[in-house]
Amino acid sequence: MKETVGNLDNYLLSKVDLRRQQVSQTVEEVQRVIHRLTTEISNQDIRFQAVPYSETYNEHIKVLAPSQFFVTVPLRGLAGYSEAREQRWRYYTLQGSRLPCPLRGPEGLQQWLEVKQFMKTLWQWHEADVNIEGDIVPAKVLQVFRKLVENAMTTCHLSGKVRMLTHRSAVWVAMETSTCQVELELVPTVEIHRAWSRKAQWPRCLKRWPSPDRVECIKSFGYNLLAYSSYHWQLSFLRAERVLLEQLDEDGGCRRRCLQVLRQLKEDVWCPGRRPVITSCHLQTVLFWTCEKYPHSKDWQDVGKAFLRLVRKLHKCVSQRFLKHYFVPTTNLLRCASPSELDAVAHKLALFLKNPQISLP
């Protein structure tokens, strides 16, 4: 175990800090382009808000891997949200024609979104380009958004730097940076502030992490609804997750340090590549579940033991192809992942656990 700790220190010094510098530079380039694109998009359609440029942390840009980014584009003109109390059947196609049987209802992280759930709305949200029978339909929003992105790329003279990736239901673009090509998923997002979804049954009973005061603070940041699928919006808790991460080690523990090394090994050894089956979001979820199971400060003082605990948890989830969403545990975050890719990662993790030494690539 002592050798593992020593190797962890060396790994942190030689790799993690370098990764942080490289990713920071890439984020800087990405956010400048995203700010230009979304500013033009907002000028064309007021419903889409520009992603602001930030000198420090940009909450709208999440790094899934060094060459893969997730960008939320806030939607404007939807204020005063309340959860729907009445249920109704839906009988429409995305083209607006009638169906003989009702559509499949939302599951897990999914939900319908009706324009009447908002106290104040722009009249444009009632238009047929995004609205069917009172529902704001994510596929319709994405269709409008994709066209706006294409137009903005031309207007901003970014066609040589940014290109649309086709054959995907979501809006993905490839961007050339000074060091590499990155892929960005741009997702229109309804931001719900100062409210908490009933689907998020959190915190769980008798759990000691995080503290009750911290829980109330995190819930006050609200959640997002992402335009992901055809009919249903997807719940996201990006702001809550960010607050949890920022306040991980107030007791002097090594949680963040372990996460950084776990992420580095994932990217270098266990699951490299441009579109990895395991992303930083999966690792972050593994950490949250482990923090909940081991809530005490003493559990996070020995970096070697704490790190191997995380690796064992990751191995178990990948082997079983099952990783529960932290806030909505009925959702399996690995449900759509490639079984063969997961098995390959599980094999590499098993080999590491047999001989947990870090050799620098």
Side-chain angles (χ1 to χ4, degrees):
M1 187 66 69
K2 289 182 179 179
E3 291 181 7
T4 302
V5 174
N7 284 335
L8 277 171
D9 289 334
N10 293 333
Y11 203 78
L12 277 166
L13 289 172
S14 62
K15 298 287 289 186
V16 175
D17 288 341
L18 177 61
R19 178 198 185 274
R20 185 185 297 114
Q21 294 171 12
Q22 292 172 338
V23 169
S24 178
Q25 178 183 339
T26 304
V27 169
E28 168 70 15
E29 296 182 47
V30 165
Q31 72 163 334
R32 286 186 184 279
V33 169
I34 291 299
H35 178 64
R36 283 179 63 188
L37 274 177
T38 55
T39 298
E40 177 59 28
I41 288 169
S42 186
N43 290 336
Q44 294 178 27
D45 191 326
I46 195 175
R47 291 173 294 190
F48 297 88
Q49 187 173 321
V51 174
Y53 175 83
S54 173
E55 294 287 351
T56 54
Y57 175 81
N58 195 320
E59 65 174 304
H60 299 284
I61 300 175
K62 187 168 184 63
V63 181
L64 302 181
S67 60
Q68 188 178 20
F69 293 76
F70 181 83
V71 182
T72 55
V73 180
L75 297 176
R76 183 190 283 121
L78 295 168
Y81 173 81
S82 61
E83 292 202 353
R85 297 184 179 277
E86 59 185 39
Q87 300 295 323
R88 65 178 176 89
W89 298 106
R90 270 76 172 178
Y91 290 90
Y92 57 79
T93 68
L94 292 174
Q95 291 71 40
S97 58
R98 297 291 295 177
L99 289 170
C101 298
L103 289 164
R104 178 181 59 83
E107 300 175 354
L109 292 173
Q110 297 179 329
Q111 70 164 70
W112 304 104
L113 186 63
E114 300 177 66
V115 72
K116 70 177 183 180
Q117 289 179 252
F118 297 92
M119 293 178 61
K120 296 180 181 180
T121 59
L122 288 172
W123 63 267
Q124 288 93 336
W125 290 112
H126 298 264
E127 293 292 293
D129 64 343
V130 295
N131 192 311
I132 303 178
E133 297 185 7
D135 287 335
I136 303 174
V137 182
K140 291 280 192 180
V141 175
L142 282 171
Q143 188 176 38
V144 172
F145 181 62
R146 181 178 289 105
K147 185 63 177 176
L148 289 167
V149 172
E150 291 172 348
N151 293 342
M153 286 165 55
T154 302
T155 306
C156 296
H157 307 291
L158 291 170
S159 299
K161 189 177 183 67
V162 183
R163 61 182 174 85
M164 188 76 71
L165 296 177
T166 57
H167 308 299
R168 302 197 188 186
S169 57
V171 178
W172 283 81
V173 299
M175 174 186 160
E176 297 293 338
T177 71
S178 59
T179 56
C180 63
Q181 178 180 281
V182 298
E183 294 183 354
L184 319 173
E185 183 177 11
L186 311 181
V187 184
T189 304
V190 180
E191 297 181 337
I192 309 297
H193 296 281
R194 295 179 294 279
W196 195 250
S197 171
R198 286 199 295 266
K199 285 197 169 186
Q201 300 297 314
W202 180 83
R204 284 157 282 281
C205 293
L206 305 178
K207 295 301 179 182
R208 305 176 67 175
W209 184 90
S211 67
D213 290 343
R214 184 61 44 79
V215 166
E216 291 309 308
C217 171
I218 289 168
K219 284 188 170 184
S220 71
F221 283 85
Y223 59 101
N224 294 340
L225 296 173
L226 309 177
Y228 250 161
S229 64
S230 296
Y231 294 96
H232 305 129
W233 293 76
Q234 181 170 308
L235 276 74
S236 170
F237 302 87
L238 291 171
R239 291 191 297 274
E241 291 165 359
R242 187 182 79 249
V243 176
L244 273 176
L245 285 172
E246 287 175 348
Q247 302 170 343
L248 274 178
D249 292 323
E250 291 183 340
D251 60 0
C254 61
R255 301 169 188 83
R256 181 181 296 277
R257 188 179 179 189
C258 289
L259 178 62
Q260 289 172 337
V261 178
L262 189 72
R263 182 180 60 201
Q264 192 71 49
L265 274 170
K266 191 277 297 182
E267 293 175 0
D268 287 347
V269 182
W270 301 328
C271 189
R274 297 189 59 82
R275 301 175 190 172
V277 66
I278 300 297
T279 70
S280 295
C281 291
H282 295 118
L283 302 185
Q284 167 184 297
T285 303
V286 167
L287 176 63
F288 289 160
W289 282 114
T290 308
C291 287
E292 187 170 291
K293 185 175 181 180
Y294 297 90
H296 303 292
S297 175
K298 62 181 177 63
D299 298 318
W300 298 94
Q301 298 304 313
D302 187 320
V303 66
K305 289 182 179 178
F307 175 71
L308 289 177
R309 191 187 299 136
L310 283 180
V311 178
R312 285 192 290 269
K313 174 67 174 176
L314 177 62
H315 177 253
K316 179 181 178 181
C317 293
V318 173
S319 300
Q320 297 177 349
R321 304 171 188 170
F322 189 80
L323 173 58
K324 295 185 292 185
H325 189 284
Y326 184 64
F327 294 107
V328 185
T330 54
T331 297
N332 176 15
L333 295 180
L334 299 177
R335 181 172 60 89
C336 298
S338 164
S340 61
E341 290 183 48
L342 290 176
D343 290 346
V345 175
H347 177 68
K348 292 179 181 179
L349 289 168
L351 291 177
F352 175 82
L353 287 170
K354 286 181 180 178
N355 181 29
Q357 305 299 317
I358 298 173
S359 58
L360 298 178

